[in-house]
Amino acid sequence: MPPCGAGVDRSSHSMDKSITLPPDEIFRNLENAKRFAIDIGGSLTKLAYYSTVQHKVAKVRSFDHTAKETEGDPLYEISMQEEVSARLHFIKFENAYIETCLDFIKDHLVNTDTKVIKATGGGAHKFKDLIEKKLKLRVDKEDEMTCLIKGCNFVLRNITHEAFVYAKHADSEFRFQNTHPDIFPYLLINIGSGVSIFKVESEDTFERVGGSSIGGGTFWGLGALLTKTKRFDELLQLASKGQHTNVDMLVKDIYGGSYGSLGLTGDLIASSFGKSATPDKEFSKEDMAKSLLHMISNDIGQLACLYARLHNLTRVYFGGFFIRGHPVTMHTITYSINFFTKGEVQALFLRHEGYLGTIGAFLKGAEEDSRP
Amino acid sequence: MTERSSHSMDKSITLPPDEIFRNLENAKRFAIDIGGSLTKLAYYSTVQHKVAKVRSFDHTAKTEGDPLYEISMQEEVSARLHFIKFENAYIETCLDFIKDHLVNTDTKVIKATGGGAHKFKDLIEKKLKLRVDKEDEMTCLIKGCNFVLRNITHEAFVYAKHADSEFRFQNTHPDIFPYLLINIGSGVSIFKVESEDTFERVGGSSIGGGTFWGLGALLTKTKRFDELLQLASKGQHTNVDMLVKDIYGGSYGSLGLTGDLIASSFGKSATPDKEFSKEDMAKSLLHMISNDIGQLACLYARLHNLTRVYFGGFFIRGHPVTMHTITYSINFFTKANFVRIFFLMGSSFFCLIHCYFFLLYLDPNQYSWGENYAGSSGLMSTSPDLNPMQRARSGTFDMLEMDRLERQLVNLPLLQDPSSYIPDTVDLSEDALAREYWLYCFEEALDGVVKRAVASQPDLPEAAERAEKFRHKYQHKLQTLRHQPFAYGSLTVRSLLDTREHCLNEFNFPDPYSKIKQGENDMALKYFQKVVKSLEELSWEQRQFALVRGLLAGNVFDWGAKAVSEVLYYSPLFSIERPWLVDAYDQWLERLKGPPHKCALFFVDNSGIDIILGVFPFVRELLCRGTEVRSYTVLPLISEKLSAVKEDRLTLVQSGSSSPCLDLSRLDKVLAGVVRERHVDLVIIEGMGRAIHTNYYAMLSCESLKMAVIKNSWLADRLGGKLFSVVFKYEVPPGHKTTTLDHVPVTPS
């Protein structure tokens, strides 16, 4: 969740760490942090904490006017008061920063009546020892999928305009959906390194109905091999500049036009990378990245659509780091869903897709704390 | 096949002319299917081959010493379909070759299908001077698939990598609809096929064979498809793929995900500065694509409630890794065995097959067709590395030949459950010991067959040369089968016999036994009356046993036995002491005391001592009881010799198949009609080939009698008996009541 509102002023700390954190912006209100949850994925770490914020509020005090009617007396009084309120903080950073971040947290934790940190994500077991050593908190692992679903339910209920439809060529690219008390049932497609597909029927009833190994990790891994570009975001950058038709074999490349009797248009991709077996031809990094992105997005789109049809679900949410609000990804997935369902199913994206696991883990912890 | 010497061709690519494009001189109609990378050519030609014809003489005015009948060799012309597959690179050379060898070109049109058809249209028209006529690819594909599912035995198979036998073949089945067809070419197309004319493309994917090829070429710099598959078969995908255990340190139990499951294909390859081997990347890619297709197939099957899923297209190509990953993936996704998946052997020929029939202007289903093992390359012939027996050029050319059968073939209506009927008793591809033994047996017997083949045509001087060619061809087939037992479907004793038959026919030896048989028939027929007479002198009960004994004894003796009648009925050499290995004689005798059967169907060999002196008396007895007999045999038999019964209650029908084995699911449609019409209530199957190698476990819906003497010590041992053990199986289906006839039964005398 992007931080908003004025923060408490905190002067720059000089840190002798190899990676310097911008302390003013990140880890706000850490002094008062009370409850922690961490979600360590294959590449990104998401941290959540609950803290209290002191902020000034204008209080209105009205005077009793029944007794006296003194002309000129103020009818009420406005005073500024300090008030303490609860706030949730969510921070996301690459796994490479995890040690620096843990050190920073340790240095700034003042009120540590917290004993436990809720952890989830595949990386949780890898970094368990490090976290326990650094923070002196006991790592309490929570099931990743449960956290994910819990988080998703939470944001769908609590964040205005959390879900949106992406339409590249519309007047407005993003069309936000209003929050709705009736969020079930839905299909959640979580695209991390791989893809997991969940059918969510109620707060406590959900099932992983399917999945695929062709996901964000495939884009990253194959992309890195093909383009020698190792960073995920750079790969997406490359893709946004490429022309997939140079690499993909289209219906028209085979049939000279559309395949009318089957309803296949000429521009439809018949075979991803179908042109790249041509001997002695070089392909640009951009084109290959674009083709790869199309291949993966289309595939996920088709799977999503098939699972939605199998389970009779019309609301399909996409989350996970592969999406990351990236227009090309969202566009190809939307396109693919529209193609396969002929408009019956809408692809919905989440503004805070990356935080679902952390939110869920945090909520788990909160539930446990509130139990008598 | 006519001898054709090697032509010196000044082409960049030399074709092996003797092997590929067989019978091109007589080619009549052409069809071509040009895909993204492979061209499939079909032509229809006529083959001349010799058949043995039997002519019996009129014996009303008989002269002693005259032969009773004459066997003559005649030329017969039959229809054959040839299918050849080669890489597009060879197309020009092939067209030139065809042009040079086309003699009888009354053909004006070549039917073309496939995406590449429009690209090569001009080239074909220029080279062949034929007009190119395009046909819709998908229609061709589906119709072709229906055709092979109906007509090619063991076309479809289930693949199981870690089972005893990798390939489990499915029998042809008249009831093929509905099914899902996944065609994996450059991309993937998914069809729901509900009937011959109702089909729909329900889905597809761009991640197909072209993706494997294209991405594989980019990743490994290996440009050839087969080499990529080779690389893949040697790789370790776990080096490149991120597994569940790489993320979670083990399995993800609560979701039922095992640790070895691929969480993210190529998920490890984003690691900076690490090199990955070509093999590993190719394997990972293959897994990725196969799994994806498998999952899609399974989802579409579930969405459309289909349980039979067939996979075809060039990506499969009989490649074990591909088939294994697809099978694995389907099994993984369906869990409860909801979907059964099959791979198709000749899958890339489909398109062509149907296209071809368009130009034949005939309904392909009017006739039955059979695969000619002698002219087909078989499964996986295109993977030279997996098949060291094949010559190098087989990597490029793949062939399939189909002969039009004279009759339309259908199930025997008396099969209890046609869908589960498997003719063969032992699947040699599943049984390594049995396979070794039988391959050895057939190799051992080859010399004898060659000798008999030469002897059967004493008037033809080049018979010896042809026989040598036959030897070479069959030996080669046996060697191929040793390495790939599944090359032509399930390997069985029947398929070994059939392959030998096809190879013999190939070199114009329609019946190597004809000469010996003729001599023996003549002799046996002379004894026939004597045998009948002596049988008539026995008491009823003695006679019944003597008849069974005679029939069984006839089974034992091969051609060339002397003093046959004595041996059959009286010789102590052949002891036929009961109890037999399988002995239901008492039940049979009991049954004979009851009302006669209405109509018996008797499957016998064509001719020989055993038939004339063993089967005929047995049949005669049945006829005397008032039972009609329909005898189903291989060649025209000298029926009038059963002169003892001059009634039309005996019918002899040719099977049209020269196999000594018997497939009850592929019988003459006319016979099936007779079976229904005459209410056949007894089926008699006699001989090792028909009753032991095949049909031993066949369940019929009427009474059946299976009789054979096990003439092979290895097999006897297998069945728990000794050499010359007798199998006498009399079976009555559960709940069956013997039919009572209206007329008075012949009482036992």
Side-chain angles (χ1 to χ4, degrees):
Chain A
M1 198 192 294
C4 54
V8 180
D9 197 31
R10 201 193 307 126
S11 59
S12 255
H13 293 264
S14 66
M15 287 187 296
D16 44 6
K17 307 283 191 274
S18 57
I19 301 161
T20 312
L21 296 174
D24 261 356
E25 301 286 321
I26 320 283
F27 300 119
R28 287 154 39 108
N29 301 314
L30 198 58
E31 303 87 327
N32 307 312
K34 288 219 167 55
R35 195 181 289 129
F36 286 90
I38 194 164
D39 173 10
I40 310 176
S43 46
L44 295 168
T45 298
K46 279 83 65 175
L47 182 83
Y49 56 92
Y50 166 93
S51 76
T52 48
V53 247
Q54 279 205 334
H55 50 135
K56 292 196 162 56
V57 282
K59 288 278 180 183
V60 176
R61 193 163 67 98
S62 38
F63 302 106
D64 189 354
H65 298 285
T66 47
K68 48 191 172 228
E69 287 285 329
T70 318
E71 202 59 38
D73 262 6
L75 293 171
Y76 62 98
E77 184 189 69
I78 298 177
S79 63
M80 293 301 235
Q81 290 183 4
E82 290 282 329
E83 207 180 63
V84 174
S85 69
R87 180 175 287 170
L88 289 174
H89 299 256
F90 299 98
I91 302 123
K92 178 164 67 182
F93 47 88
E94 290 186 35
N95 285 357
Y97 294 81
I98 196 162
E99 200 163 347
T100 321
C101 289
L102 290 175
D103 284 340
F104 183 87
I105 295 166
K106 190 190 63 186
D107 294 348
H108 291 80
L109 261 182
V110 186
N111 313 316
T112 39
D113 46 351
T114 318
K115 297 279 180 292
V116 169
I117 180 166
K118 287 281 175 191
T120 188
H125 77 274
K126 271 192 204 156
F127 293 98
K128 185 173 180 283
D129 292 345
L130 185 73
I131 299 168
E132 296 199 329
K133 203 186 77 188
K134 293 268 181 195
L135 298 187
K136 309 271 185 283
L137 295 177
R138 182 167 53 82
V139 171
D140 200 0
K141 281 181 69 180
E142 284 296 334
D143 181 72
E144 190 179 358
M145 300 306 163
T146 311
C147 292
L148 186 79
I149 307 291
K150 235 182 180 2
C152 187
N153 292 339
F154 181 82
V155 296
L156 285 175
R157 277 222 188 80
N158 291 287
I159 302 185
T160 318
H161 291 175
E162 174 59 35
F164 61 91
V165 169
Y166 183 81
K168 192 182 177 186
H169 301 294
D171 288 346
S172 150
E173 280 180 298
F174 302 88
R175 272 186 291 122
F176 291 97
Q177 309 290 300
N178 284 310
T179 44
H180 209 279
D182 190 18
I183 59 170
F184 304 110
Y186 65 87
L187 199 67
L188 174 65
I189 321 280
N190 188 54
I191 317 174
S193 303
V195 178
S196 277
I197 301 173
F198 297 93
K199 176 185 178 181
V200 186
E201 289 176 293
S202 77
E203 196 64 57
D204 298 305
T205 327
F206 58 88
E207 187 193 352
R208 183 184 190 273
V209 290
S212 164
S213 72
I214 305 182
T218 313
F219 178 70
W220 201 344
L222 265 178
L225 291 174
L226 293 172
T227 66
K228 312 287 167 218
T229 307
K230 297 288 182 188
R231 290 181 48 83
F232 186 80
D233 288 328
E234 281 171 34
L235 279 169
L236 283 177
Q237 274 302 310
L238 283 177
S240 66
K241 289 179 236 149
Q243 264 300 329
H244 76 103
T245 51
N246 295 333
V247 185
D248 289 344
M249 188 183 281
L250 308 186
V251 167
K252 67 181 170 199
D253 293 323
I254 304 177
Y255 297 103
S258 69
Y259 194 135
S261 65
L262 295 183
L264 306 175
T265 61
D267 284 329
L268 197 74
I269 304 172
S271 174
S272 293
F273 288 89
K275 281 181 188 158
S276 64
T278 322
D280 314 318
K281 202 184 151 187
E282 284 293 313
F283 297 90
S284 84
K285 290 180 179 187
E286 288 81 1
D287 293 349
M288 290 188 291
K290 180 64 167 282
S291 173
L292 189 61
L293 185 64
H294 271 299
M295 176 182 105
I296 294 168
S297 304
N298 282 334
D299 190 54
I300 296 171
Q302 168 153 229
L303 287 177
C305 145
L306 287 170
Y307 279 104
R309 282 169 65 191
L310 260 181
H311 296 280
N312 273 319
L313 299 170
T314 50
R315 265 175 297 185
V316 180
Y317 296 101
F318 287 87
F321 84 85
F322 181 65
I323 306 282
R324 266 205 181 174
H326 196 284
V328 191
T329 324
M330 291 191 291
H331 173 63
T332 47
I333 285 185
T334 303
Y335 179 88
S336 154
I337 289 269
N338 286 342
F339 175 83
F340 289 112
T341 66
K342 300 176 181 90
E344 280 168 31
V345 173
Q346 270 194 332
L348 295 162
F349 301 96
L350 300 172
R351 286 198 293 142
H352 303 104
E353 38 84 10
Y355 294 103
L356 303 182
T358 337
I359 295 173
F362 182 84
L363 292 172
K364 271 279 195 185
E367 277 171 17
E368 284 168 18
D369 286 359
S370 63
R371 254 175 236 147
Chain B
M1 201 174 109
T2 322
E3 192 60 60
R4 201 192 309 125
S5 60
S6 253
H7 293 263
S8 67
M9 287 186 295
D10 45 4
K11 308 283 191 272
S12 55
I13 301 159
T14 311
L15 298 174
D18 263 356
E19 301 280 323
I20 320 282
F21 299 118
R22 289 153 37 108
N23 301 313
L24 199 58
E25 303 88 316
N26 306 312
K28 289 223 165 54
R29 294 186 189 97
F30 286 91
I32 196 162
D33 174 9
I34 310 177
S37 46
L38 294 168
T39 297
K40 283 83 71 173
L41 181 85
Y43 55 93
Y44 166 91
S45 76
T46 47
V47 243
Q48 279 207 333
H49 51 119
K50 291 201 162 53
V51 281
K53 292 273 179 191
V54 176
R55 193 163 69 98
S56 38
F57 301 110
D58 188 0
H59 295 287
T60 40
K62 50 175 172 267
T63 323
E64 202 58 41
D66 265 5
L68 295 169
Y69 67 102
E70 184 189 69
I71 297 178
S72 61
M73 293 299 221
Q74 289 182 9
E75 292 283 330
E76 208 179 61
V77 174
S78 68
R80 179 174 286 173
L81 286 176
H82 299 256
F83 299 98
I84 301 133
K85 179 165 69 182
F86 47 86
E87 289 186 33
N88 285 357
Y90 292 79
I91 196 163
E92 200 163 346
T93 319
C94 288
L95 290 175
D96 283 338
F97 184 86
I98 294 168
K99 190 189 61 185
D100 294 347
H101 290 78
L102 261 184
V103 185
N104 312 315
T105 39
D106 45 351
T107 317
K108 297 279 177 290
V109 170
I110 180 166
K111 288 276 178 189
T113 188
H118 76 274
K119 273 192 205 155
F120 292 97
K121 185 172 179 284
D122 293 344
L123 184 73
I124 298 169
E125 297 198 330
K126 201 187 79 189
K127 292 267 182 195
L128 297 187
K129 310 264 182 286
L130 297 175
R131 184 167 53 80
V132 171
D133 203 359
K134 280 181 69 180
E135 287 290 341
D136 181 69
E137 188 178 358
M138 296 307 161
T139 311
C140 290
L141 179 79
I142 307 291
K143 299 259 175 179
C145 184
N146 292 341
F147 176 75
V148 294
L149 285 176
R150 282 222 187 79
N151 287 284
I152 299 192
T153 315
H154 292 172
E155 171 61 32
F157 59 88
V158 171
Y159 183 81
K161 190 183 178 185
H162 301 293
D164 288 345
S165 148
E166 283 177 301
F167 300 85
R168 270 183 293 123
F169 291 92
Q170 306 299 305
N171 282 299
T172 44
H173 206 278
D175 188 21
I176 58 171
F177 304 110
Y179 66 86
L180 197 69
L181 174 66
I182 320 279
N183 188 52
I184 316 176
S186 302
V188 178
S189 276
I190 301 173
F191 297 93
K192 177 184 176 181
V193 185
E194 289 176 294
S195 76
E196 196 63 57
D197 297 302
T198 327
F199 58 84
E200 187 193 351
R201 184 183 189 275
V202 290
S205 163
S206 72
I207 306 182
T211 313
F212 177 70
W213 202 342
L215 264 179
L218 292 174
L219 292 173
T220 66
K221 312 287 166 217
T222 307
K223 298 288 181 189
R224 289 180 47 84
F225 185 80
D226 287 329
E227 281 171 34
L228 279 169
L229 283 177
Q230 276 302 308
L231 282 178
S233 67
K234 290 180 231 148
Q236 264 301 330
H237 78 102
T238 50
N239 295 333
V240 184
D241 289 344
M242 189 183 281
L243 308 185
V244 166
K245 67 180 171 199
D246 292 324
I247 304 177
Y248 298 103
S251 68
Y252 194 135
S254 67
L255 294 182
L257 306 175
T258 60
D260 284 330
L261 197 74
I262 304 172
S264 173
S265 293
F266 288 90
K268 281 182 188 158
S269 63
T271 321
D273 316 316
K274 201 183 152 187
E275 285 292 313
F276 297 92
S277 84
K278 291 179 177 188
E279 288 82 0
D280 293 350
M281 290 188 290
K283 181 65 167 281
S284 173
L285 189 60
L286 186 65
H287 271 299
M288 177 182 104
I289 294 169
S290 305
N291 282 333
D292 191 53
I293 297 171
Q295 168 153 228
L296 288 177
C298 149
L299 288 170
Y300 278 104
R302 280 170 64 191
L303 260 181
H304 295 278
N305 270 319
L306 298 170
T307 52
R308 264 177 297 187
V309 179
Y310 294 100
F311 285 88
F314 87 85
F315 182 62
I316 305 284
R317 266 205 179 176
H319 196 284
V321 191
T322 322
M323 294 189 289
H324 173 64
T325 48
I326 287 182
T327 305
Y328 180 87
S329 154
I330 290 258
N331 289 342
F332 174 81
F333 289 113
T334 59
K335 285 166 191 127
N337 253 346
F338 171 77
V339 173
R340 303 209 62 195
I341 64 162
F342 304 101
F343 299 95
L344 298 162
M345 295 187 67
S347 51
S348 52
F349 287 120
F350 288 170
C351 243
L352 195 57
I353 289 176
H354 186 69
C355 184
Y356 191 70
F357 285 107
F358 262 116
L359 82 163
L360 285 178
Y361 299 110
L362 53 84
D363 177 4
N365 300 316
Q366 232 169 37
Y367 292 91
S368 285
W369 299 75
E371 183 176 2
N372 177 26
Y373 294 135
S376 302
S377 351
L379 187 66
M380 285 168 68
S381 61
T382 46
S383 314
D385 208 59
L386 294 163
N387 177 16
M389 289 315 298
Q390 291 283 332
R391 300 131 300 180
R393 62 168 175 265
S394 305
T396 4
F397 289 89
D398 193 58
M399 294 152 63
L400 167 68
E401 288 183 5
M402 294 186 72
D403 286 329
R404 190 171 77 197
L405 309 177
E406 287 170 54
R407 294 162 179 84
Q408 203 177 338
L409 305 181
V410 295
N411 276 330
L412 176 70
L414 296 169
L415 282 176
Q416 233 178 51
D417 178 13
S419 61
S420 68
Y421 169 74
I422 297 166
D424 306 288
T425 307
V426 181
D427 184 345
L428 299 181
S429 38
E430 280 183 17
D431 188 333
L433 279 174
R435 179 167 72 239
E436 272 309 302
Y437 173 77
W438 285 108
L439 284 170
Y440 168 80
C441 254
F442 277 86
E443 261 162 12
E444 281 290 288
L446 190 52
D447 271 338
V449 176
V450 169
K451 259 183 218 150
R452 273 195 300 274
V454 177
S456 71
Q457 299 177 353
D459 313 329
L460 301 170
E462 58 2 300
E465 196 187 323
R466 270 187 289 122
E468 275 313 303
K469 281 185 180 159
F470 153 74
R471 180 210 297 278
H472 182 79
K473 182 134 201 168
Y474 190 58
Q475 207 152 38
H476 178 76
K477 294 272 171 197
L478 288 175
Q479 277 168 337
T480 304
L481 287 167
R482 203 179 277 280
H483 288 91
Q484 317 160 220
F486 38 77
Y488 300 98
S490 280
L491 183 65
T492 58
V493 174
R494 178 167 63 111
S495 72
L496 284 168
L497 285 165
D498 288 353
T499 307
R500 187 166 77 187
E501 212 66 49
H502 291 174
C503 290
L504 280 167
N505 274 329
E506 188 70 22
F507 297 99
N508 274 323
F509 294 108
D511 189 357
Y513 295 94
S514 57
K515 281 284 163 198
I516 313 166
K517 278 182 201 162
Q518 187 174 12
E520 301 223 350
N521 285 347
D522 284 349
M523 182 164 61
L525 284 167
K526 284 169 195 159
Y527 279 100
F528 181 65
Q529 289 302 342
K530 199 175 135 191
V531 168
V532 168
K533 198 161 175 286
S534 68
L535 284 167
E536 273 167 1
E537 286 159 8
L538 299 172
S539 73
W540 183 83
E541 205 141 319
Q542 281 176 321
R543 186 165 73 245
Q544 301 314 314
F545 188 73
L547 285 167
V548 169
R549 186 182 196 274
L551 213 149
L552 289 168
N555 237 275
V556 180
F557 295 96
D558 235 316
W559 305 104
K562 284 178 184 155
V564 207
S565 67
E566 282 81 2
V567 171
L568 251 63
Y569 288 93
Y570 316 108
S571 168
L573 284 175
F574 173 58
S575 138
I576 199 156
E577 288 294 307
R578 289 182 61 200
W580 300 321
L581 183 59
V582 177
D583 192 340
Y585 179 74
D586 292 339
Q587 289 93 311
W588 171 244
L589 193 69
E590 236 7 76
R591 173 65 189 85
L592 286 180
K593 289 174 184 164
H597 295 91
K598 184 163 182 348
C599 184
L601 179 65
F602 204 152
F603 292 94
V604 294
D605 208 340
N606 55 350
S607 61
I609 302 165
D610 52 339
I611 299 302
I612 295 164
L613 299 181
V615 175
F616 281 9
F618 191 92
V619 167
R620 188 178 169 275
E621 182 75 15
L622 287 176
L623 291 166
C624 291
R625 278 170 55 77
T627 302
E628 285 183 51
V629 178
R630 310 286 154 178
S631 188
Y632 196 60
T633 177
V634 175
L635 281 173
L637 202 134
I638 356 72
S639 60
E640 68 268 31
K641 285 304 108 192
L642 268 172
S643 48
V645 191
K646 293 230 190 230
E647 287 177 64
D648 53 3
R649 286 189 293 132
L650 175 71
T651 321
L652 293 148
V653 194
Q654 285 187 65
S655 70
S657 148
S658 48
S659 173
C661 295
L662 177 66
D663 180 352
L664 295 177
S665 65
R666 278 169 79 80
L667 294 177
D668 195 335
K669 198 179 179 181
V670 175
L671 179 87
V674 170
V675 165
R676 279 198 200 90
E677 191 185 306
R678 308 308 305 170
H679 303 290
V680 167
D681 56 355
L682 173 67
V683 171
I684 307 170
I685 306 174
E686 165 273 333
M688 261 222 323
R690 284 170 294 275
I692 305 281
H693 291 319
T694 52
N695 300 310
Y696 190 69
Y697 299 116
M699 302 289 283
L700 299 175
S701 58
C702 67
E703 292 172 58
S704 65
L705 197 54
K706 296 168 192 166
M707 289 179 278
V709 175
I710 303 166
K711 294 183 283 183
N712 174 296
S713 55
W714 184 88
L715 185 64
D717 193 49
R718 267 258 163 150
L719 295 171
K722 293 191 177 108
L723 187 62
F724 299 130
S725 287
V726 170
V727 169
F728 189 92
K729 228 179 170 184
Y730 169 63
E731 289 163 311
V732 182
H736 183 82
K737 285 195 186 105
T738 49
T739 44
T740 321
L741 291 178
D742 301 337
H743 60 82
V744 186
V746 181
T747 40
S749 54

